[in-house]
Amino acid sequence: MTGLKVESLKKHFTIGGGFLGGKARTVRAVENVSLSVALGSCVGLVGESGCGKSTASRAILRLEEPTAGRVTFDGIDVASASPAQMRRLRQRMQFIFQDPYASLNSRRSIRKTLEEPLKVHGIGDPAERRDRAEAILSEVGLPQDAMDRFPHEFSGGQRQRIGIARALVLEPDLVVADEPVSALDVSVQAQILRLLDDLRDKRTLSFLFVSHDLGVIRHFCDTTCVMYLGHVVESGPTQEIMDDPAHPYTVLLRQSSPIPDPANRVDPPRIAGEIPSPANPPSGCPFHTRCPRAFAECRESMPAAKEIAPGRQVACHLF
Amino acid sequence: MTALLDIRGLTTEFRVNGRWHAAIQDVDLSLAANETLAVVGESGSGKSVTALSTLRLLPQAGARIGRGEILFEGRDLAKLSERQMAKVRGNDIAMIFQEPMTSLNPTMTVGDQIAEVLMIHRGMSHGAALNEARDLLDEVRVPDPARRVTEYPHQFSGGMRQRAMIAIALACRPKVLLADEPTTALDVTVQHQVLTLLDDLKRERGMGVIFITHNLGVVAQIADRVAVMYAGEIVETADCTRLFANPAHPYTEALLRAMPRVDRRADTLEPIPGSVPSITGRPAGCYFAPRCGYARPECGHHPVLGPISGAGGSDHQARCILRAKAEEAA
């Protein structure tokens, strides 16, 4: 199987413990995430803060060591890859960060920022590296005179373009983008989404796109995975999930997402409460504490993912 | 309908490198009781400065109200002394902010923070104020208010903190609530809860609410009327339904087209090229012209806010020379 495949990924953190640390507790940030990103496709990972979507995306690239589970890329096991294999894999799997202010080194010129990945991976001689950096800069829509300037001289949207250029300069096959447009204004957000659209068309790029915004996901992704408290609760083709959500949480998320149309004011079920802490997750189905349709079984056992339509999986006792 | 709050020709200036530049200019807004007016715009559009100027919360050094009146029940707030203004703040006009954690005091219990307002403005005793604080937390639908009143902000979740902020703001039963991006830091499901709460409270108390946001989706959910701001000016104002159905200003139209929507399939988004001009670098003529797809040579003249005719009342206005010409021709 080509592309990325993630099976039963788990990432737990330990907090507290040790001297003055109090009682050690386990934060179950990612409990059970399985997904696959085929070559050239774009998969969205959507959920509210604390659902584990960022941690999952980082664990997939081994920016955090996963606690359990299997991640393969073109059949190579990422967790057990030798250092040499991992270096080659890293070149093919790149990351775009959310905050264009924090993810660039303010003391490094754009030229250095863009040439460094090439240097690290031992690609080309200095002249070739310069050419590749210049080519990628114009591809992301920045002028060549940006090369010798520093991050503080750029606006948020321009910085995000630099972040994208840095990820793409290695010509990766897979880009994991963690909320790449959340920090931007609407007009600039659309510019960046358009840029990512264009880059996707021009190259053979797969995306794992993490976002909390269903509108952005709908625009950009072919397939969507909805996460809640470390679990993927629903996955399937984006359009089906948006137009006909199945899991009660997806329904709530969809109905709570504001639509710019006053004629369409919805009144979703007035459920109380917020996402529970992953340090103390509820028993059974993680959503039962807020679910308007929960029944006894939901409190006792975690429902397994069931296929309700081709390519469409839901983890809920109602199905 | 008489206006509760009537802002006329408000211009607020900041000093940048020794010169005064207008952050907002000639802003006219009026707010009636039991009305939600949404002020929408991108960062740098001047929407927060408008709210801060209304309550005179801008720093004394480096910022000043250049021109204009802020009439609240007939009194001009711009002319009040600081002592008189302190009585208005929290009592008649209250404000809630985007990030509840940085607006709450981490060393005081939530109950004490609500009670403080009541003790200062209404002269209540500590015990009576705490009782009232408990009732207020109940009113903003914080579960188990008797226990919550003794807890600290760090024990509250994001949504609960924003509810606590709302309780503080509502403690003295203000007639006007200024809400500056109150749900931006919240998740969508919690955002919806807070929007519903604000809407219910507005109805129950007949408050006027100025709701500042950058999110057109939120505007459509909560607003009665909308003012769209760009580069320190109001570029369009209309009834909420009308604004979304018939946007008259190219900027409003472009914003709607740039927003990815969850309810429909859009293959292409139409970004607005460029970015909002800085306070020191606004172009001559129409501020939006450099980014506008309809720009013509006549856009070199600065347009005024003019009426747009059409069904459903005449309070629809837009700041665009081309629209004004179309209106004249019709």
Side-chain angles (χ1 to χ4, degrees):
Chain A
M1 139 108 207
T2 58
L4 176 77
K5 197 161 173 57
V6 179
E7 289 163 86
S8 315
L9 184 72
K10 217 185 261 283
K11 175 68 196 174
H12 293 177
F13 296 97
T14 308
I15 53 168
F19 183 60
L20 286 183
K23 215 174 99 192
R25 284 186 302 164
T26 306
V27 177
R28 298 164 183 274
V30 177
E31 223 8 58
N32 182 8
V33 169
S34 299
L35 53 86
S36 59
V37 186
L39 198 65
S41 73
C42 179
V43 174
L45 203 51
V46 69
E48 295 178 285
S49 40
C51 75
K53 56 190 191 302
S54 288
T55 307
S57 71
R58 296 176 67 88
I60 286 168
L61 290 198
R62 268 181 80 189
L63 298 179
E64 312 273 3
E65 287 296 330
T67 308
R70 199 173 131 85
V71 179
T72 57
F73 189 72
D74 281 359
I76 307 166
D77 191 329
V78 174
S80 63
S82 67
Q85 274 179 319
M86 197 60 215
R87 217 170 298 131
R88 274 200 301 280
L89 273 180
R90 289 231 191 271
Q91 192 184 327
R92 301 174 56 197
M93 301 158 68
Q94 286 290 308
F95 206 91
I96 300 174
F97 297 89
Q98 166 171 6
D99 188 343
Y101 294 85
S103 62
L104 292 172
N105 186 334
S106 56
R107 289 162 168 268
R108 204 170 273 178
S109 70
I110 306 310
R111 183 185 301 282
K112 276 205 170 143
T113 301
L114 296 183
E115 287 182 2
E116 194 193 22
L118 296 168
K119 229 184 236 170
V120 166
H121 289 283
I123 297 168
D125 51 45
E128 195 183 332
R129 288 202 280 265
R130 196 180 57 230
D131 290 348
R132 277 179 75 163
E134 281 169 6
I136 199 73
L137 196 67
S138 57
E139 205 174 332
V140 299
L142 287 173
Q144 287 304 324
D145 66 9
M147 243 347 160
D148 294 304
R149 283 153 64 191
F150 288 84
H152 71 91
E153 299 175 65
F154 296 93
S155 67
Q158 287 172 321
R159 280 184 228 204
Q160 199 53 292
R161 286 176 195 269
I162 297 166
I164 293 168
R166 178 178 57 185
L168 292 184
V169 74
L170 288 168
E171 301 189 345
D173 299 314
L174 172 76
V175 171
V176 177
D178 186 6
E179 304 261 17
V181 296
S182 308
L184 307 172
D185 271 317
V186 189
S187 67
V188 180
Q189 168 179 296
Q191 291 170 11
I192 299 296
L193 285 173
R194 170 74 76 84
L195 170 67
L196 292 174
D197 280 340
D198 290 346
L199 292 168
R200 234 179 117 188
D201 291 343
K202 266 191 256 163
R203 302 158 170 252
T204 328
L205 263 184
S206 324
F207 272 94
L208 180 63
F209 195 97
V210 179
S211 180
H212 68 282
D213 186 329
L214 290 186
V216 171
I217 292 278
R218 170 157 207 162
H219 172 77
F220 199 74
C221 302
D222 318 308
T223 312
T224 299
C225 302
V226 183
M227 277 188 77
Y228 189 80
L229 267 189
H231 296 265
V232 171
V233 294
E234 179 166 5
S235 64
T238 302
Q239 202 177 335
E240 284 177 35
I241 287 193
M242 301 294 169
D243 291 338
D244 184 24
H247 195 282
Y249 176 63
T250 318
V251 174
L252 174 74
L253 205 56
R254 172 67 178 77
Q255 289 184 343
S256 305
S257 296
I259 296 167
D261 181 2
N264 225 328
R265 287 187 187 178
V266 285
D267 203 10
R270 295 195 172 195
I271 62 153
E274 292 168 45
I275 191 166
S277 161
N280 186 19
S283 63
C285 170
F287 188 55
H288 85 253
T289 53
R290 301 170 74 195
C291 182
R293 300 172 69 185
F295 51 97
E297 201 183 346
C298 304
R299 282 178 277 280
E300 283 148 24
S301 66
M302 174 64 207
K306 274 168 238 130
E307 183 142 8
I308 57 161
R312 186 99 188 264
Q313 297 212 316
V314 179
C316 176
H317 286 306
L318 290 166
F319 295 89
Chain B
M1 211 157 37
T2 53
L4 197 59
L5 183 68
D6 199 359
I7 298 173
R8 291 183 192 163
L10 184 65
T11 299
T12 299
E13 296 164 324
F14 288 123
R15 193 160 59 200
V16 183
N17 295 330
R19 291 183 54 194
W20 291 96
H21 294 272
I24 55 168
Q25 51 189 22
D26 291 323
V27 169
D28 293 316
L29 286 174
S30 75
L31 176 74
N34 197 21
E35 180 183 51
T36 301
L37 169 68
V39 178
V40 62
E42 296 181 284
S43 26
S45 64
K47 51 196 195 306
S48 291
V49 172
T50 306
L52 293 172
S53 306
T54 305
L55 273 182
R56 302 213 343 232
L57 287 172
L58 288 165
Q60 304 258 314
R64 68 179 185 197
I65 292 178
R67 280 194 307 279
E69 295 177 312
I70 305 160
L71 298 172
F72 173 73
E73 297 185 317
R75 277 200 301 173
D76 186 358
L77 301 184
K79 295 203 174 66
L80 295 187
S81 69
E82 187 49 40
R83 274 175 77 100
Q84 289 170 311
M85 195 62 214
K87 287 203 177 114
V88 173
R89 285 188 205 119
N91 219 357
D92 296 316
I93 306 179
M95 185 156 178
I96 52 177
F97 300 90
Q98 172 171 351
E99 192 22 91
M101 195 56 198
T102 53
S103 315
L104 291 168
N105 185 339
T107 68
M108 283 171 75
T109 64
V110 170
D112 278 339
Q113 293 185 59
I114 304 172
E116 188 183 27
V117 185
L118 294 162
M119 285 151 66
I120 290 172
H121 283 293
R122 301 233 305 254
M124 288 169 89
S125 71
H126 186 241
L130 270 182
N131 277 335
E132 176 86 20
R134 201 188 51 222
D135 295 345
L136 279 160
L137 279 183
D138 193 34
E139 198 176 340
V140 296
R141 298 185 207 128
V142 170
D144 199 2
R147 179 171 62 87
R148 287 297 197 168
V149 90
T150 62
E151 288 187 347
Y152 289 88
H154 76 267
Q155 293 166 293
F156 278 49
S157 66
M160 287 300 153
R161 283 179 203 146
Q162 195 55 280
R163 286 167 199 268
M165 282 287 297
I166 294 171
I168 293 173
L170 297 184
C172 292
R173 312 207 151 251
K175 298 187 176 98
V176 173
L177 179 68
L178 304 179
D180 187 1
E181 304 257 14
T183 61
T184 304
L186 305 176
D187 281 314
V188 282
T189 58
V190 181
Q191 163 170 284
H192 197 277
Q193 294 168 7
V194 172
L195 290 179
T196 313
L197 172 69
L198 282 173
D199 202 47
D200 291 349
L201 291 169
K202 178 200 84 171
R203 265 175 242 277
E204 285 159 20
R205 299 176 165 220
M207 258 185 328
V209 179
I210 293 187
F211 194 98
I212 293 170
T213 179
H214 68 280
N215 187 331
L216 283 165
V218 169
V219 172
Q221 294 300 306
I222 194 168
D224 299 309
R225 268 187 322 123
V226 187
V228 182
M229 288 192 77
Y230 184 77
E233 290 182 322
I234 292 178
V235 293
E236 180 164 6
T237 169
D239 172 78
C240 185
T241 316
R242 194 171 152 85
L243 184 98
F244 283 91
N246 291 307
H249 195 281
Y251 177 61
T252 316
E253 193 189 315
L255 266 188
L256 283 167
R257 286 202 188 157
M259 187 184 171
R261 293 177 61 147
V262 64
D263 61 331
R264 62 170 74 144
R265 207 186 145 77
D267 286 327
T268 54
L269 286 178
E270 294 179 40
I272 309 176
S275 52
V276 181
S278 72
I279 176 171
T280 54
R282 287 180 186 150
C286 171
Y287 293 160
F288 186 59
R291 306 176 73 190
C292 180
Y294 303 104
R296 300 279 178 282
E298 49 267 48
C299 298
H301 297 284
H302 196 77
V304 293
L305 203 56
I308 302 292
S309 56
S314 59
D315 61 348
H316 191 174
Q317 292 183 306
R319 190 184 290 278
C320 177
I321 283 178
L322 302 174
R323 278 307 297 232
K325 281 201 169 155
E327 288 292 322
E328 267 172 41

